[in-house]
Amino acid sequence: PAKVVGVDAETDVAVIKIDGKDFPVLKMGNSDAIEVGEWVLAIGSPFGLPGTVTSGIVSAKGRSSVGIANYENFLQTDAAINPGNSGGPLVNLDGEVIGINTAIASRTGVYNGIGFAIPINMARDICDQLIENGAVTRGYLGIAIQEMTPELSKSFGLEDASGVLIGSVTNNSPAWKAGLKSGDVIVEYDGKKVEKVSPFRNMVAATSPDSKVAFTV
């Protein structure tokens, strides 16, 4: 028997608590250190078969716009993930959890070579907040943004199409108070390069409210 500590629908992560002690546990890995091509194992109960292990590699990192959650930063793998694998661990060859199996891309509803897992670093940040506060608080800027394109970057005189374009700024928002304006292109956030909209949204969301962050525009 377990009780729900907290749920974050925005990332599809929940924390549950089981009373007791001396449970076997898996060590947490570092999903940021995972590289494309590394071998991984997916563990779960596909089709009601408990304790099933499948192998594959990390096919891609930072997958977004998958349509599963509002904040996405998935690890993509070709380890077979089928109905019943969701919630199971994706582990590296050291047996460390580097992701939570979440979904598959399939036209048939079963394994098609493309599966997605929530990176454990992202899940761990969410879990810490759920355990401490029972809910997740996210950073907010107050801007509408869009992807840069080669055409837009050329019109702005930029060398490449990375960064995100500010379309509008909400009055009296943190962005407005900081002087960000419509037409600004954000290329760096807190010392990290900004290339696409979804990763940038994740950066902002992961920033604690009332903290200060440097932008390069």
Side-chain angles (χ1 to χ4, degrees):
K3 68 177 182 179
V4 176
V5 175
V7 176
D8 181 49
E10 302 288 338
T11 54
D12 198 28
V13 172
V15 175
I16 64 172
K17 182 178 181 180
I18 304 171
D19 290 326
K21 59 183 180 179
D22 298 326
F23 292 120
V25 295
L26 283 170
K27 183 180 178 181
M28 298 279 191
N30 179 8
S31 54
D32 290 342
I34 292 293
E35 296 183 5
V36 173
E38 283 195 43
W39 282 94
V40 289
L41 304 174
I43 304 172
S45 302
F47 308 114
L49 300 171
T52 297
V53 179
T54 54
S55 67
I57 62 169
V58 175
S59 305
K61 297 175 62 177
R63 284 288 191 233
S64 58
S65 302
V66 178
I68 298 169
N70 287 338
Y71 293 95
E72 299 178 335
N73 186 32
F74 292 116
L75 298 174
Q76 180 183 324
T77 179
D78 66 352
I81 295 176
N82 282 298
N85 275 109
S86 295
L90 186 72
V91 304
N92 60 22
L93 294 190
D94 291 322
E96 300 170 333
V97 182
I98 51 97
I100 302 173
N101 301 327
T102 301
I104 58 174
S106 173
R107 293 176 180 175
T108 62
V110 294
Y111 173 67
N112 210 25
I114 300 178
F116 301 103
I118 299 169
I120 201 62
N121 289 15
M122 180 179 182
R124 186 159 39 199
D125 290 341
I126 298 298
C127 289
D128 288 344
Q129 290 197 53
L130 290 176
I131 292 169
E132 186 173 341
N133 306 314
V136 176
T137 303
R138 293 183 166 84
Y140 162 76
L141 283 176
I143 56 177
I145 54 178
Q146 68 183 77
E147 300 279 10
M148 287 294 291
T149 64
E151 294 77 18
L152 282 172
S153 63
K154 185 177 181 180
S155 69
F156 280 97
L158 300 176
E159 294 181 357
D160 58 47
S162 63
V164 297
L165 174 65
I166 298 178
S168 62
V169 180
T170 303
N171 286 342
N172 297 315
S173 67
W176 182 85
K177 293 175 182 177
L180 292 175
K181 295 179 175 63
S182 174
D184 282 346
V185 178
I186 302 171
V187 295
E188 200 170 277
Y189 178 85
D190 197 23
K192 299 175 183 177
K193 187 175 181 181
V194 173
E195 297 183 343
K196 299 291 183 182
V197 164
S198 290
F200 175 68
R201 287 182 69 239
N202 290 337
M203 290 180 192
V204 175
T207 304
S208 299
D210 296 325
S211 56
K212 293 186 178 181
V213 176
F215 284 73
T216 301
V217 299

